[in-house]
Amino acid sequence: MKNGMTYKSTRGEEAESSAKVILNGIASDGGLYTPSFFPSITMEDIKEMAGLDYAQRAAYILSLYLTDYGYDELLEYAKKAYSRFDEEMAAPLTKVDEKTFILELWHGPTLAFKDVALTILPYLLTGARKKQGQEKKTLILVATSGDTGKAALEGFKDVENTEIVVFYPNEGVSAMQKLQMQTAEGSNTHVVAIEGNFDDAQKAVKDIFTDKAMIKKLSEMGYELSSANSINFGRLAPQIVYYISSYVDLLVNEEIEEGEEINFIVPCGNFGNILAAYYAYRMGLPIKHFIVASNKNKVLTDFFDTGEYNINREFYRTISPSMDILVSSNLERLIFEFTGRDCEKVKSLIEDLKESGMYRVDEDELYEKLPQFIGYFSTEEETRTVIENFFNEYNYLLDPHTAVAVSAYNKYMSDTYDNETVSVIASTAHPFKFPEDVYEALTKKREKSGQKAIKKLYAYTGIKPPSAIAELEQKQILHDIVIPKSGIKDTLIKILQKD
Ligand SMILES: *Cc1c(COP(=O)(O)O)cnc(C)c1O
């Protein structure tokens, strides 16, 4: 193998190459793979990207990290993946006022930002299988708070030598998200609802990755595990691309000067999306602030305020279900950087979290080392008001997750009066994925049936529902099992035995 990027677990396990890291998904010590260094991009590199289309930009950035793959190979994958988007630039920017932009990340097949990574991950994984000479089938396990599930099912359906099993919280996703998953086609797709919340699903899935007996059993059945969750570095890398690409676009459109710092505002759940922005920053992208937006489950806001990460609190179901998470897995990667890549320190913090549901880092040190991070949260009422006001003011319809980010941005602005800095708000889902709640925010009227809400929302806003949503009505429910959260392992074995 050529001299390439290697990856180390946040909990200390030795280095692996990019193909292996994508295949494994998570390190066997339970830690998350992180690149051994951040490749740099200069202003010259950024200016050169101006002439490239989105797939070329993606291939270029990915080639800096995924050094087991050739540039041409990555370009082929990126072209295939991003041709499925309904916008030429895959992740276009919309200007809402002088200094504020929306980065639309939902132009892919399932209308959520997860598509940006999950349309290309199957190619990266298939490529990795070849490079590693993997003969076993790849078993993709997914825990989803709603959007990852459908995007992964769509990306991996009918991919050779691959089975995908998605676990989602039965009561914790929107009606549209549930329907999208229940109607997933493909001979290798499996969808299971669990009685529990996302954290339960994520914990159960993560446990399987470190359960030696289970791994052995699956191996005897001919499977090797991998993950399509954002713990897989193959999910994060494609997300770095759009932060850099948006900067290129701002420069091309003369919205910023070369080297000018900008803000990113990101609605956070598992912390993968905003971590990708941080990785872009470490590569050299000029970023002033990362605004970590949370809903009522404001563990992250409290963490950035106080240095204490504490999940001993009530869990709320909100109208932004993909952010209803208490244990944000990818924060471990930020903590790894915060501690100066001290694996022992990371391990002891994670141990604290396991034992007492909390850990604490020094508040002053947190501010000193990561001053760019600021957390804000939005209450349900504030989120609804933002959807209504934003539509009235800009004639632009926000989904509830993006509205949480706009709400956080408004709070940031009233705290800082930061009128000088260009701010880019990551828009993570299409509003028609949450028609009942968006319609209610606009009209104060509740329409219980999703399909009726879609029609009424169309009539009210004049915005046409995307075909991926409109078609759902005609689709057949193919997956409807519900199991207790303790039954995940047994169910998994049963599903695979039937195959
Ligand atoms: C997954 C998701 C988020 C949270 O992203 P993370 O990378 O998990 O922080 C926010 N909004 C939507 C619509 C999502 O699907």
Side-chain angles (χ1 to χ4, degrees):
M1 199 182 63
K2 61 189 170 190
N3 282 335
M5 176 69 80
T6 55
Y7 295 79
K8 210 172 131 81
S9 163
T10 48
R11 299 186 200 168
E13 191 178 87
E14 280 314 299
E16 300 278 12
S17 75
S18 52
K20 193 86 202 303
V21 159
I22 287 177
L23 265 188
N24 289 0
I26 187 168
S28 63
D29 60 6
L32 308 188
Y33 288 116
T34 50
S36 53
F37 67 95
F38 291 104
S40 80
I41 45 160
T42 62
M43 258 318 122
E44 286 312 306
D45 298 330
I46 287 177
K47 279 193 289 182
E48 263 175 45
M49 271 187 263
L52 306 183
D53 65 23
Y54 193 84
Q56 290 168 325
R57 290 178 187 179
Y60 170 63
I61 307 290
L62 292 178
S63 72
L64 303 175
Y65 284 100
L66 308 181
T67 50
D68 284 350
Y69 301 75
Y71 174 81
D72 290 340
E73 180 182 9
L74 291 168
L75 183 60
E76 181 200 325
Y77 296 167
K79 276 189 180 157
K80 284 184 185 157
Y82 300 127
S83 68
R84 300 194 61 195
F85 282 58
D86 69 4
E87 276 281 324
E88 185 152 352
M89 282 314 276
L93 272 178
T94 295
K95 185 169 183 170
V96 287
D97 67 21
E98 213 30 60
K99 294 281 177 191
T100 315
F101 295 79
I102 302 241
L103 177 58
E104 295 178 350
L105 301 174
W106 38 258
H107 286 278
T110 77
L111 311 171
F113 92 92
K114 308 291 199 296
D115 285 325
V116 181
L118 285 163
T119 47
I120 194 167
L121 185 63
Y123 296 108
L124 295 172
L125 221 125
T126 306
R129 287 178 54 91
K130 286 211 189 91
K131 289 171 210 299
Q132 296 286 320
Q134 177 60 257
E135 281 166 4
K136 290 209 166 72
K137 275 190 159 191
T138 298
L139 172 61
I140 312 274
L141 294 186
V142 179
T144 183
S145 57
D147 290 327
T148 299
K150 179 61 179 184
L153 290 161
E154 192 58 37
F156 282 100
K157 80 172 171 212
D158 296 324
V159 171
E160 272 187 15
N161 294 312
T162 306
E163 291 291 317
I164 170 164
V165 188
V166 171
F167 297 95
Y168 70 90
N170 195 31
E171 304 287 324
V173 300
S174 86
M176 270 316 133
Q177 287 175 322
K178 188 182 273 196
L179 197 56
Q180 278 189 312
M181 289 189 277
Q182 289 180 325
T183 56
E185 288 157 5
S187 58
N188 62 340
T189 58
H190 312 274
V191 181
V192 180
I194 66 156
E195 290 159 353
N197 60 34
F198 171 74
D199 290 309
D200 296 324
Q202 169 155 271
K203 183 173 180 304
V205 168
K206 266 178 144 183
D207 280 351
I208 295 176
F209 281 84
T210 48
D211 179 337
K212 295 220 167 68
M214 191 70 182
I215 291 170
K216 184 156 172 276
K217 179 150 194 180
L218 291 169
S219 175
E220 284 162 6
M221 292 172 74
Y223 292 101
E224 194 177 71
L225 284 174
S226 188
S227 166
N229 279 104
S230 56
I231 49 177
N232 192 328
F233 186 77
R235 273 282 302 278
L236 284 183
Q239 294 176 185
I240 300 171
V241 176
Y242 48 72
Y243 290 107
I244 297 173
S245 178
S246 69
Y247 193 92
V248 176
D249 290 342
L250 288 170
L251 208 51
V252 171
N253 296 329
E254 297 179 355
E255 300 288 356
I256 52 171
E257 311 266 333
E258 271 176 47
E260 190 174 324
E261 289 184 330
I262 63 173
N263 295 324
F264 282 109
I265 300 95
V266 183
C268 291
N270 228 352
F271 208 71
N273 201 6
I274 201 160
L275 187 83
Y278 177 70
Y279 280 13
Y281 166 76
R282 294 293 301 269
M283 293 171 78
L285 197 71
I287 300 178
K288 185 174 175 189
H289 281 134
F290 302 91
I291 297 162
V292 181
S294 299
N295 64 23
K296 209 173 160 191
N297 296 295
K298 61 183 186 63
V299 193
L300 288 165
T301 316
D302 294 342
F303 173 68
F304 286 106
D305 277 354
T306 67
E308 182 177 289
Y309 194 86
N310 192 338
I311 65 167
N312 301 306
R313 59 175 75 207
E314 199 173 332
F315 173 89
Y316 299 105
R317 284 178 53 201
T318 72
I319 59 170
S320 46
S322 302
M323 301 162 71
D324 291 345
I325 293 176
L326 296 181
V327 184
S328 299
S329 295
N330 274 294
L331 190 64
E332 183 170 338
R333 283 185 165 115
L334 187 70
I335 296 292
F336 181 66
E337 302 302 329
F338 165 75
T339 60
R341 303 197 149 209
D342 180 344
C343 302
E344 290 310 313
K345 182 78 193 154
V346 173
K347 261 201 270 188
S348 94
L349 291 173
I350 296 297
E351 231 14 79
D352 290 348
L353 185 65
K354 265 192 203 145
E355 270 160 32
S356 63
M358 62 163 285
Y359 60 74
R360 191 194 303 273
V361 302
D362 186 76
E363 186 184 340
D364 296 334
E365 199 185 337
L366 185 63
Y367 183 71
E368 195 182 301
K369 291 197 175 147
L370 297 172
Q372 308 87 352
F373 280 83
I374 309 179
Y376 285 99
F377 76 99
S378 180
T379 66
E380 293 291 271
E381 212 32 61
E382 286 168 337
T383 304
R384 289 195 186 94
T385 305
V386 161
I387 293 175
E388 184 187 7
N389 292 349
F390 211 82
F391 184 71
N392 292 338
E393 193 163 346
Y394 302 110
N395 200 30
Y396 188 99
L397 194 58
L398 299 168
D399 95 283
H401 304 75
T402 311
V404 167
V406 171
S407 176
Y409 175 57
N410 292 344
K411 291 183 183 183
Y412 167 80
M413 287 302 276
S414 61
D415 278 358
T416 61
Y417 301 100
D418 183 12
N419 288 314
E420 296 304 305
T421 313
V422 164
S423 288
V424 175
I425 298 161
S427 176
T428 48
H430 193 290
F432 276 86
K433 277 195 104 159
F434 309 92
E436 306 91 335
D437 292 314
V438 172
Y439 182 71
E440 185 177 358
L442 292 177
T443 64
K444 314 284 174 286
K445 281 182 254 172
R446 183 87 188 162
E447 179 50 70
K448 269 215 234 89
S449 142
Q451 292 301 335
K452 278 192 194 145
I454 286 170
K455 289 181 185 113
K456 288 196 171 169
L457 197 53
Y458 178 23
Y460 188 86
T461 61
I463 299 167
K464 214 167 169 243
S467 55
I469 286 288
E471 284 162 6
L472 279 178
E473 205 174 5
Q474 271 86 44
K475 293 221 162 148
Q476 206 190 333
I477 305 254
L478 301 169
H479 313 272
D480 58 0
I481 53 171
V482 185
I483 61 163
K485 66 186 175 194
S486 58
I488 290 192
K489 286 179 188 170
D490 287 345
T491 304
L492 180 61
I493 298 292
K494 267 190 218 136
I495 285 175
L496 296 174
Q497 278 166 344
K498 260 194 226 149
D499 257 44

